Amino acid sequence: MSETTIRKHRSRHDRDRTEYSLYFALAYPFFLMGTIARKISRIGRPQGVGANRSGSIFAEAAEMAHSVLPWMFMGR
């Protein structure tokens, strides 16, 4: 037989993680559209210094979102 304890209150860290995940899910499509637009606008142009990213557009959009979203949590 096992015993389970249900916590009624989640820790602040758990709430922040859930909130971050929600913001990420809402913001990711916009970053994905921006990444696609940037890739399309650079077709046929020579690549500049440090611009030779040939990775996934999905990974690039996620990287952009993860670099911007922490700023929303600053000042709490």
Side-chain angles (χ1 to χ4, degrees):
M1 182 186 225
S2 67
E3 189 173 311
T4 305
T5 304
I6 298 174
R7 295 185 319 179
K8 291 187 179 194
H9 301 288
R10 296 186 316 172
S11 71
R12 180 169 173 81
H13 179 71
D14 289 341
R15 287 191 309 260
D16 286 346
R17 188 181 327 165
T18 302
E19 187 177 357
Y20 183 88
S21 297
L22 176 65
Y23 284 134
F24 182 82
L26 292 172
Y28 180 78
F30 295 104
F31 286 106
L32 182 60
M33 288 186 293
T35 302
I36 291 170
R38 190 180 67 196
K39 291 280 187 178
I40 289 172
S41 70
R42 291 187 179 183
I43 291 177
R45 289 187 182 173
Q47 298 294 320
V49 176
N52 55 358
R53 290 183 182 173
S54 60
S56 165
I57 60 170
F58 302 109
E60 199 170 320
E63 180 183 328
M64 287 171 47
H66 284 301
S67 69
V68 171
L69 287 178
W71 290 96
M72 295 177 70
F73 291 89
M74 300 285 279
R76 284 189 173 197

